Amino acid sequence: MSARDLAKLRAIPTRTRSFDNGQTIVPAGTEPTESCLVLRGMAGRLHILPGRTTQRVVSALHVPGDFMDLHGFVLSEVQESIVAFGLTEVEFVEHSHLEELTRNHPHLTRLLWMTTAIDGAIHRQWLVAANALRSSAHLAHLICEIYTRLAAVGVAKNHRMTLPLLQRELACILGYSPIHINRAVRDLRDRKLVRWSGTEIEVLDWPGLVRLARFDPGYLDLERKRR
């Protein structure tokens, strides 16, 4: 970005809030007037499916630097909630400022568009992984992706990361029961691919984890982010 672009972004007024684990950042069914960016922590898009048994589905995870609900800038209503996983700090920007930015700053508009495009690419890759991988490999793919995204913004390094998700939350993400998640975690440990204690994960064999997950980070478009 040029110095002019950076100055424009820094001049946009924002407000910052902290959320505890499980707190709703953006409720479903609202007409948004702001979009929000993760500063610290992690958040997810949560869908509630009604029925005889209420089902919770997490369709996206967001790490520091992610605009979580930029789609709400062009949609009339948000259909899912955004919730905090662990202590999460979020920055809000009013849509009126984004509207002015998209009118007068075409390069910044393309960057916002790129953000939503990468978000869509991640979602498509989740669908591919859900259809192509069994439970242990599916979980391995999620670990590879989240570590890569966290490392790209300097939050994880040396193949160690904090993942503030319980097994029931991993079940909501991957579409398995908590029992299946427990077995998948145990399998990754038994293969000596990871050391997993509470919310702390250390990848012991990165090449082996990547092979099991059939992970290719190209969909994250990190080379473009570095340019």
Side-chain angles (χ1 to χ4, degrees):
M1 286 187 289
S2 67
R4 179 173 176 266
D5 288 337
L6 286 171
K8 174 60 184 176
L9 289 178
R10 289 171 177 149
I12 294 175
T14 62
R15 65 184 182 92
T16 302
R17 281 190 60 191
S18 294
F19 295 85
D20 292 326
N21 183 48
Q23 272 193 295
T24 298
I25 299 170
V26 178
T30 58
E31 296 182 12
T33 60
E34 299 175 302
S35 286
C36 50
L37 178 83
V38 183
L39 296 179
R40 295 179 183 82
M42 187 175 293
R45 290 204 294 263
L46 176 66
H47 306 253
I48 304 295
L49 300 180
R52 295 176 63 183
T53 302
T54 300
Q55 188 173 359
R56 296 160 57 91
V57 177
V58 175
S59 65
L61 289 175
H62 296 288
V63 303
D66 285 355
F67 252 122
M68 299 182 286
D69 62 341
L70 199 54
H71 59 290
F73 173 47
V74 294
L75 298 177
S76 60
E77 184 176 291
V78 175
Q79 298 297 320
E80 67 279 350
S81 298
I82 297 178
V83 299
F85 291 128
L87 182 62
T88 303
E89 188 176 0
V90 175
E91 189 171 43
F92 293 85
V93 56
E94 292 183 6
H95 285 170
S96 59
H97 298 300
L98 294 179
E99 184 177 352
E100 188 275 332
L101 184 148
T102 56
R103 272 200 313 267
N104 300 306
H105 298 269
H107 179 61
L108 291 176
T109 301
R110 286 193 293 271
L111 292 180
L112 293 177
W113 187 10
M114 184 188 73
T115 296
T116 58
I118 292 174
D119 190 43
I122 292 172
H123 182 68
R124 290 191 294 274
Q125 190 63 35
W126 279 29
L127 292 177
V128 172
N131 281 276
L133 302 176
R134 294 177 180 256
S135 56
S136 296
H138 195 182
L139 177 58
H141 193 280
L142 181 69
I143 294 170
C144 288
E145 178 193 295
I146 296 302
Y147 175 78
T148 301
R149 292 168 65 189
L150 290 174
V153 293
V155 179
K157 61 181 179 179
N158 300 325
H159 293 140
R160 291 181 171 90
M161 69 174 176
T162 298
L163 187 66
L165 300 170
L166 301 174
Q167 290 190 0
R168 67 172 180 268
E169 291 160 345
L170 288 170
C172 293
I173 295 168
L174 299 178
Y176 303 122
S177 69
I179 292 175
H180 278 89
I181 294 296
N182 183 271
R183 290 173 180 167
V185 171
R186 187 166 63 244
D187 183 47
L188 296 183
R189 285 172 173 156
D190 291 345
R191 292 172 184 248
K192 294 182 170 45
L193 295 174
V194 302
R195 182 180 292 120
W196 197 322
S197 177
T199 61
E200 302 302 314
I201 298 176
E202 180 184 3
V203 179
L204 303 175
D205 181 359
W206 178 257
L209 193 70
V210 167
R211 280 194 303 272
L212 176 63
R214 296 156 67 181
F215 177 71
D216 180 349
Y219 66 97
L220 299 173
D221 206 25
L222 295 176
E223 290 301 321
R224 180 182 296 274
K225 285 186 175 183
R226 282 195 287 267
R227 289 200 293 268

